[in-house]
Amino acid sequence: MPEITLRAIEPEDLELLYRIENDMLLWNIGTTNVPYSRYVLHDYVAHSSGDIYTDRQVRLMIENEAREVVGIVDIINFDPQHLRAEVGIVIENRHRRQGYAQRALEHIAEYSLNVLHLHQLYALVDLNNSASLNLFSKAGYTVVARIGDWLYDGKQFHDAAMMQILL
């Protein structure tokens, strides 16, 4: 299993963020369906407080042992009352299937438990996305619900699995 580091977004991450946020192939699996300008992303990086209680989210860059950014992991939809949040993760194509995502999910669970004091994390995964279903399963998430017609790819609706891990 590779060693990784999770770190805050830096201004020099703007190009990677731009590529990922504007990758139309990823829009089907997330909630983004419009392109983001460099200006909007720059503004996000510059004005994000880094405080989950203020922003209701945390975005962290995933670095490998060579200090190369391989992806992004997000904690979003933070609910301080119920001590839960949603997790999203993207690994760049050339770095996939090398264990980075699984390791990042392990680190984010530890961070969520020990720093944020969350009780649970969850992910909404397209039931047709076997790679993501397997990833979250390996990381200890279980399917707790099937949600019909939850995701729309511009042509058709897809069912999603709500996957959860209690920390």
Side-chain angles (χ1 to χ4, degrees), residues 56-75:
R56 297 288 193 244
Q57 67 178 7
V58 173
R59 174 167 270 185
L60 299 169
M61 307 306 287
I62 305 165
E63 285 187 345
N64 63 14
E65 289 177 332
R67 300 187 52 91
E68 179 182 20
V69 176
V70 298
I72 301 172
V73 62
D74 293 320
I75 299 175

Side-chain angles (χ1 to χ4, degrees), residues 8-152:
I9 294 178
E10 299 289 347
E12 47 275 3
D13 297 320
L14 184 61
E15 284 306 310
L16 172 69
L17 194 59
Y18 181 80
R19 273 195 321 272
I20 287 175
E21 291 292 351
N22 290 295
D23 184 345
M24 291 174 64
L25 297 175
L26 297 174
W27 291 359
N28 299 3
I29 60 173
T31 57
T32 300
N33 62 1
V34 295
Y36 285 96
S37 69
R38 282 182 179 81
Y39 175 80
V40 167
L41 292 170
H42 180 272
D43 192 56
Y44 167 78
V45 171
H47 293 99
S48 176
S49 72
D51 178 4
I52 195 166
Y53 287 92
T54 300
D55 299 336
R56 297 288 193 244
Q57 67 178 7
V58 173
R59 174 167 270 185
L60 299 169
M61 307 306 287
I62 305 165
E63 285 187 345
N64 63 14
E65 289 177 332
R67 300 187 52 91
E68 179 182 20
V69 176
V70 298
I72 301 172
V73 62
D74 293 320
I75 299 175
I76 60 172
N77 298 323
F78 168 64
D79 185 331
Q81 178 182 357
H82 300 291
L83 300 174
R84 67 178 172 238
E86 183 178 351
V87 174
I89 188 165
V90 175
I91 303 295
E92 282 207 288
N93 282 337
R94 63 192 170 108
H95 297 290
R96 289 186 183 158
R97 304 203 188 291
Q98 297 176 35
Y100 294 122
Q102 186 172 351
R103 183 62 89 183
L105 289 178
E106 291 170 7
H107 281 264
I108 212 68
E110 290 172 18
Y111 173 77
S112 296
L113 176 64
N114 298 321
V115 177
L116 301 177
H117 307 292
L118 296 181
H119 173 65
Q120 62 184 290
L121 295 171
Y122 67 93
L124 297 168
V125 181
D126 186 325
L127 283 172
N128 295 320
N129 187 341
S130 59
S132 288
L133 291 168
N134 289 334
L135 167 68
F136 282 97
S137 290
K138 283 183 188 175
Y141 288 69
T142 58
V143 175
V144 294
R146 178 186 176 130
I147 308 169
D149 287 353
W150 194 254
L151 302 169
Y152 185 64

